[in-house]
Amino acid sequence: MIGHAFTLKQLEALVWVADLGSFRKAAAHLNTTQPNISSRIAGLEETLGVVLMQRDAGAVRLTDKGREILAAARETLRQAEQLVTVAARPDLIADRLRLGVTELVACTWLHAYLRALKSAYPGVTVELTVDLSRNLDKELSSRALDLTVQTAPFASPASGVVELGDFPYVWVGTKTILSGLPDHPVVADLLPHSILTHARHTQAYQELTDHAAANGLSMARIAPSNSMASCVQMAQDDMGVTLLPLALVEKEIAEGSLQVADVDWHPSPLRFAARYQAERVAPYVARCAALAIDALADYQKARG
């Protein structure tokens, strides 16, 4: 038996310094001080009698033996979490979950999801990032996020993926604007007005501009925005017709401030997925990803 030769906190420090590439960032993530992290690593090195990492010009580089021990440390931490799972004590898991979501999630079912996470893991603190899917993709790839709820297409692979379904788009505008359109308009009929929609780098914007180009339509009135909520407000203020996911404007449609336009063309539905790197995150993150399914289903049920 190795007794108290080293601690889980020392192994945890090793993993986060390796993943974040910085003692300072590891300390911030673990809610402690940089000297404390340095002390944990030094204590682990002294106990094991090996050099685990070297600092080069502010960067951290694992030694060959350090990489071997890192892999063993990850497995040890996973097994420790398994003990908690077997004992049915998820409340003993204390961690900081770096969660990234898109604006659509933030404006619709995020709060239901956060409540589900809090209920399942009361000791876990959620650090939330709301951003464009392409930016979330980059942060997941660079290990700056543990879990993302984002839309396809994905620029980088993830070893853990929970599919959350497709979200269709809808054209909406005020009664004032739509009353001047044909009953079944084509995209060309909308061009006297501004078309308010997703940011330039999104799939919906690309498909819309491709459609316009293929039909010889002017793109001068297509107005992309990084804020879908702003598009909704601008549409309500008669500043144009907007093309957005139906889930984002269901309330406005129900209240009558916006109406659906039966336009002949729509972009592909948004494909949503919860994504994580299974080999790097704690096992509970996979459960958090799966909880997104239930949270979304509860939200959709409540919305009818």
Side-chain angles (χ1 to χ4, degrees):
M1 300 292 289
I2 60 175
H4 300 288
F6 54 82
T7 68
L8 293 178
K9 285 187 177 295
Q10 289 175 321
L11 301 183
E12 185 180 52
L14 172 63
V15 167
W16 283 107
V17 170
D19 282 357
L20 299 179
S22 163
F23 281 68
R24 177 182 58 81
K25 291 179 180 179
H29 180 78
L30 295 173
N31 197 31
T32 187
T33 64
Q34 184 171 333
N36 195 1
I37 294 296
S38 297
S39 177
R40 292 181 193 180
I41 298 297
L44 185 59
E45 289 180 320
E46 182 179 359
T47 297
L48 299 178
V50 298
V51 177
L52 298 172
M53 56 185 63
Q54 297 174 341
R55 301 191 199 192
D56 297 322
V60 175
R61 181 173 59 85
L62 288 172
T63 63
D64 291 341
K65 183 60 68 173
R67 282 189 286 272
E68 292 182 42
I69 291 175
L70 174 63
R74 291 189 194 279
E75 184 57 30
T76 300
L77 291 172
R78 290 191 182 98
Q79 291 300 321
E81 187 177 317
Q82 181 62 19
L83 291 175
V84 172
T85 301
V86 171
R89 289 294 306 276
D91 57 297
L92 295 179
I93 297 176
D95 199 4
R96 183 183 300 273
L97 176 67
R98 299 171 300 170
L99 172 66
V101 304
T102 65
E103 184 184 11
L104 176 59
V105 177
C107 291
T108 52
W109 55 281
L110 174 62
H111 293 298
Y113 185 35
L114 293 177
R115 286 193 295 269
L117 293 177
K118 185 66 175 179
S119 176
Y121 297 103
V124 171
T125 300
V126 175
E127 181 179 309
L128 182 65
T129 297
V130 180
D131 207 338
L132 295 175
S133 186
R134 69 192 300 262
N135 295 334
L136 298 178
D137 201 303
K138 292 177 182 177
E139 294 197 32
L140 183 66
S141 180
S142 67
R143 308 174 196 170
L145 291 174
D146 303 311
L147 173 64
T148 61
V149 181
Q150 60 179 122
T151 56
F154 308 119
S156 59
S159 52
V161 178
V162 176
E163 296 290 347
L164 299 175
D166 295 335
F167 291 70
Y169 279 88
V170 65
W171 293 92
V172 293
T174 61
K175 181 179 180 180
T176 301
I177 288 181
L178 298 192
S179 63
L181 298 177
D183 290 340
H184 304 286
V186 297
V187 174
D189 296 324
L190 308 177
L191 293 179
H193 308 280
S194 293
I195 295 179
L196 313 167
T197 190
H198 274 198
R200 291 183 183 277
H201 301 291
T202 60
Q203 180 173 315
Y205 176 82
Q206 188 60 56
E207 290 187 14
L208 175 59
T209 54
D210 288 348
H211 175 81
N215 290 275
L217 304 178
S218 170
M219 290 182 259
R221 303 303 297 273
I222 299 177
S225 173
N226 284 346
S227 171
M228 291 190 291
S230 295
C231 289
V232 175
Q233 186 60 58
M234 288 189 288
Q236 290 177 310
D237 291 339
D238 286 328
M239 295 177 67
V241 179
T242 189
L243 173 64
L244 291 173
L246 173 60
L248 190 67
V249 290
E250 285 179 319
K251 177 182 176 182
E252 289 74 17
I253 293 171
E255 293 174 346
S257 62
L258 292 175
Q259 298 182 358
V260 176
D262 186 20
V263 182
D264 71 329
W265 177 89
H266 293 79
S268 303
L270 277 173
R271 171 196 162 201
F272 264 89
R275 306 174 73 236
Y276 57 96
Q277 304 296 355
E279 69 280 3
R280 294 194 175 277
V281 298
Y284 83 89
V285 175
R287 173 59 180 154
C288 289
L291 285 173
I293 298 176
D294 297 333
L296 176 56
D298 289 344
Y299 172 81
Q300 292 174 325
K301 183 179 180 181
R303 299 290 293 178

